[in-house]
Amino acid sequence: MVITTQKPWEEIREALGDRTRWIVLGCAHCAAVCQTGGSAQADDMARRLEEAGCTVLAVVDLPSPCDRRLSRRDLRRVERELGQAEGILCLSCGGGAQAVASLVDVPVVAGLDAHFVGTVERVGRFFEECALCGACLLNDTAGLCPVTGCPKGLRNGPCEQDDAQGRCGVLGDRECVWEAVYARLEAQGRAGAFGRTRAPVPPSAWGRPRSTAGQGR
Amino acid sequence: MGECVFLGIGRVLPEDVEALRGALAAGSSAAGVVFLDPEDGVHPLALVPVARSVRPEWPVVVPLVARDRNRTALLAEARAARVVGADGLLLVAGRLEAPPTARPVFEMDVLQLAGWLREQGVDLELWTVGRCATPAQRAWAGAVARAGVARLVVPWEGGALPRVDGLEVVPLSRTAVPGAREAVRPVHPAPAGEGTP
C-alpha cells in the first residue's frame, strides 16, 4: 500500500494555474484506503475547484491509476470530457499520476504526496515496514526488516549508538530493531542466523529508475 | 599491540589541537590513543602526527566512519591511515542525530567493512566500538570477532566487563580529558580474568 497525504490546497491551487476546466481522478486503491484520493476526497476536491472558479467536467474513480492498462480503458469513459478539459487533477501516488500523464495530452496535476509503502493498522495509522531495498533479508531476520526499522538501515546488527538496555540511540524511546530480531530468532531456535554477514545492497537494487523490464520500458 | 591503556579522543576542533597536545602529554598512565568518530571535528588522520609528536611510542588507532562514505572513500581513508602511520582502524557505522539535517548514507556497516577491508588487503588491526550488554549486542560482538575485528571498545561505568571469544574488550569511561573537547578516557586494565578471552 502506497501511503499518501494530500498536498496543501495552496500548492494545488498554484499548480492549476489559469486553467479552469478540469477532470478530477481518484484512486480507488491505495489513496482510497488512505482517505486522500478515494471517491469522497475526489468529490471534495471537485467542490473546492468549483469554489475556486473552475469547472469540473468529470470526477472519475480509477481502480488503479498506476495500472496503465486499466487507466487507458477507464479514461475512454470520459473521452468527450477529456477533449474539453484543460487539465486533470490526479489524486493518486506519483506512479499513478505519471501513468495517467502518459495517456493524455493535457497537463496532469498531482494532488498527493507519496511517502512510503506501508502496512495498515487502521485508517490513519500506517507503518513503514518495507523499504523496497531490493535485497530482502526477512528470511534471515525472522520476518522483521532491520533496513526499515533501523534509522541507519543497517543490515548486520546493532550500531555503536545503542544503549545498555538495547534502546536505539537515534530514536531514543524505541528498542533497537535488532533486539527484536534476535529475540524472535532465538524463540524460533534460529539465533545462529544472527551473526551471518549480509553484503551491502547491490547497485542493481538501488540504481534508479528501477523496473522489471531491464533497461527499457 | 599488547594489552594497554588507551586514551579515547572524540571531536577535536581546530582551536583544540593545542589542548589535545596537552591532554596527550598529561596522559602519562596511558600507552596508546584511539580516536573516536570525530563528527564535524578535525579528521583524525590529520591528528596522527600530533599524537606521534607528543607520544612517539604510543600506538595510534584512527576511526573509519562508514557514514556518508562509499567504498572508494573508505578504502582511500584506510590506505591513508597506513601511510600516516596509524596502527589500527576503529570501525564505526557513524552517528546519526534525529532529526538529521542532511540525508545520511550508511552503505556499509562494521561487519561488512571488516570483511571487505581484509579482502582489499588492509592489514591494520581492526577495532570497533559498541555495547555488549544485551543478547543481541553480544551476538553482534561475536560476529565482529569472526569477521576479523580484534578489539571492542565498550562504554563502561564500572562492574564486570563482558567477555567475547576472539575479542579483547577495551572499556571506555566518559571521563573527559582536560583540554580536549568531548574526549573520553578508557579505563584499564580490566579486572583480572575479565575483558580478554
Side-chain angles (χ1 to χ4, degrees):
Chain A
M1 174 87 43
V2 177
I3 306 305
T4 51
T5 55
Q6 216 167 76
K7 286 180 178 291
W9 166 247
E10 295 72 26
E11 185 180 338
I12 294 173
R13 184 71 190 87
E14 188 180 340
L16 299 177
D18 55 5
R19 296 179 293 272
T20 58
R21 295 191 304 278
W22 289 87
I23 292 173
V24 177
L25 293 186
C27 165
H29 201 205
C30 304
V33 174
C34 294
Q35 295 191 349
T36 54
S39 57
Q41 293 77 43
D43 287 342
D44 183 55
M45 187 58 72
R47 274 193 296 277
R48 297 188 83 161
L49 287 175
E50 286 171 345
E51 285 167 11
C54 297
T55 301
V56 177
L57 302 169
V59 178
V60 184
D61 283 324
L62 296 178
S64 284
C66 56
D67 188 328
R68 279 195 183 82
R69 302 163 305 165
L70 299 180
S71 294
R72 183 180 290 115
R73 181 196 68 192
D74 292 331
L75 285 171
R76 288 197 193 109
R77 288 164 24 204
V78 290
E79 214 161 26
R80 187 171 55 84
E81 289 85 352
L82 265 175
Q84 301 167 357
E86 292 177 286
I88 293 176
L89 176 52
C90 191
L91 299 178
S92 73
C93 68
Q98 291 183 75
V100 169
S102 72
L103 299 171
V104 299
D105 296 325
V106 291
V108 172
V109 168
L112 306 184
D113 287 318
H115 300 284
F116 56 89
V117 169
T119 56
V120 183
E121 185 179 272
R122 57 181 162 81
V123 172
R125 282 183 64 82
F126 308 115
F127 297 92
E128 185 180 22
E129 292 179 6
C130 173
L132 306 175
C133 75
C136 186
L137 43 74
L138 286 177
N139 294 340
D140 289 345
T141 56
L144 287 168
C145 176
V147 174
T148 314
C150 167
K152 300 178 185 177
L154 300 184
R155 298 169 63 83
N156 289 293
C159 71
E160 68 271 14
Q161 277 186 264
D162 279 8
D163 70 11
Q165 285 72 48
R167 284 189 300 258
C168 173
V170 181
L171 301 175
D173 57 337
R174 282 174 45 183
E175 181 187 50
C176 168
V177 66
W178 283 102
E179 297 292 334
V181 168
Y182 186 87
R184 198 183 279 188
L185 283 171
E186 192 175 41
Q188 295 173 356
R190 302 167 54 210
F194 190 89
R196 224 182 98 196
T197 304
R198 288 161 286 270
V201 175
S204 59
W206 49 254
R208 296 287 189 277
R210 296 184 287 186
S211 84
T212 57
Q215 295 298 312
R217 167 153 287 162
Chain B
M1 279 182 275
E3 184 173 321
C4 49
V5 183
F6 279 82
L7 283 181
I9 305 296
R11 175 170 169 259
V12 177
L13 296 177
E15 60 268 31
D16 296 330
V17 172
E18 285 311 308
L20 172 66
R21 280 184 205 280
L24 292 170
S28 56
S29 63
V33 59
V34 54
F35 287 101
L36 306 169
D37 183 347
E39 302 184 42
D40 62 347
V42 175
H43 197 295
L45 288 178
L47 299 174
V48 172
V50 175
R52 286 265 180 263
S53 68
V54 180
R55 294 287 185 179
E57 74 283 11
W58 280 6
V60 178
V61 177
V62 294
L64 191 59
V65 182
R67 181 198 57 232
D68 299 336
R69 290 168 174 83
N70 62 17
R71 276 165 269 192
T72 306
L74 288 164
L75 186 56
E77 208 168 302
R79 288 171 171 163
R82 159 65 80 193
V83 169
V84 299
D87 300 278
L89 291 169
L90 181 80
L91 310 182
V92 293
R95 291 190 64 80
L96 175 62
E97 303 303 333
T101 51
R103 185 174 183 169
V105 174
F106 291 95
E107 187 188 0
M108 299 280 275
D109 58 41
V110 169
L111 268 173
Q112 293 160 347
L113 199 48
W116 179 76
L117 287 170
R118 290 298 187 234
E119 286 173 18
Q120 299 303 312
V122 175
D123 58 357
L124 293 170
E125 186 174 74
L126 300 182
W127 294 47
T128 191
V129 57
R131 299 274 180 180
C132 213
T134 69
Q137 291 165 354
R138 286 192 287 275
W140 172 81
V144 297
R146 291 192 294 278
V149 174
R151 300 201 193 201
L152 174 67
V153 176
V154 295
W156 188 63
E157 291 161 0
L161 284 168
R163 299 183 59 138
V164 183
D165 284 346
L167 274 183
E168 181 181 340
V169 176
V170 179
L172 197 66
S173 76
R174 298 296 299 179
T175 305
V177 173
R181 187 177 301 193
E182 293 183 24
V184 287
R185 186 177 192 280
V187 178
H188 221 71
E194 300 281 358
T196 51

